[in-house]
Amino acid sequence: MKLNFKNNVSNLIIGLFLLFGVSFSQSSFVGLVLEEIDNDGIVAGTTYRLYAELSEGTLYAIFADESNPSLIETTTTFYQDTYGGDIQTAINPMFFGMVATLEYDSWVTIGDTYTDAVSTVGDLNFTSFSGSSWSCGGTPSSDASIFRTSDNENCLPDGNGLVLLGQFTTDGTLSGYINIHGQNALGVAWDEVAVPIPSLIGCTDLTACNYN
């Protein structure tokens, strides 16, 4: 019996590539986490912080396009402070002592920082954020994104495996869906689209240890 060693080796290499290729392309996204922040009644409603939980790797973009719109909304309105901004770094925490309400403004970000600004591209439609929703994408030529370079330290999860995506104060019910982009520890990119905002405080992944 004559064995075709060359073909066998080729098939083995292809098999290993497919096996590890699937593994390498796996998303490190675990789920969204919504936490309540105590605002001491300084502003009306409840202040929430929205996080993405990662098993490893980084998260470096929130995006929308024609096929993948993004929406974060409330049944009432978002609190937008007179001295606040739509992005976390538009706020100066040195003023919290003088304008206590500023600390509970509604904004978005990638990573918890008041000093390292995110980059933006496209029409993010922040004018809608002053009302009951923040939405973008869903129409032709509507690509938009809040992003960082993947090597930025604010793209890394914190000690609890979380990357901060935004803060939202409202006396209504928060809902919606977002699209995020990141890469795993091997540097392979992944996308998660139409991820729903948790309707309850906690993690959306039933298999996660902090699901509630």
Side-chain angles (χ1 to χ4, degrees), residues 74-190:
T74 176
T75 52
T76 56
T77 58
F78 289 114
Y79 175 69
Q80 297 288 1
D81 196 85
T82 303
Y83 301 98
D86 298 315
I87 294 176
Q88 185 181 16
T89 49
I91 296 166
N92 188 338
M94 292 182 64
F95 290 107
F96 289 169
M98 294 178 285
V99 185
T101 54
L102 179 60
E103 187 171 357
Y104 306 106
D105 189 36
S106 300
W107 40 256
V108 293
T109 186
I110 296 175
D112 190 2
T113 173
Y114 287 99
T115 57
D116 184 10
V118 294
S119 297
T120 64
V121 65
D123 182 8
L124 289 163
N125 192 29
F126 278 135
T127 54
S128 67
F129 204 5
S130 60
S132 61
S133 68
W134 173 49
S135 62
C136 52
T139 58
S141 303
S142 60
D143 293 17
S145 178
I146 296 170
F147 65 96
R148 299 185 185 279
T149 58
S150 60
D151 59 349
N152 186 292
E153 63 180 1
N154 291 296
C155 300
L156 293 166
D158 63 17
N160 295 313
L162 304 176
V163 178
L164 181 63
L165 302 181
Q167 177 173 285
F168 309 94
T169 296
T170 179
D171 57 2
T173 301
L174 198 63
S175 63
Y177 44 87
I178 61 172
N179 313 303
I180 53 178
H181 186 68
Q183 66 181 30
N184 63 23
L186 295 170
V188 179
W190 51 260

Side-chain angles (χ1 to χ4, degrees), residues 28-40:
S28 53
F29 176 67
V30 176
L32 293 180
V33 177
L34 194 66
E35 293 184 347
E36 181 178 337
I37 301 298
D38 184 9
N39 61 30
D40 290 324

Side-chain angles (χ1 to χ4, degrees), residues 10 23 28 45 51 69 74-75 77 90 117 126 137 155 158 176 182-183 192-193 195 197-198 210-211:
S10 297
S23 175
S28 53
Y51 300 86
T74 176
T75 52
T77 58
F126 278 135
C155 300
D158 63 17
Q183 66 181 30
E192 296 285 348
V193 299
V195 184
I197 306 299
N210 65 339
Y211 172 78

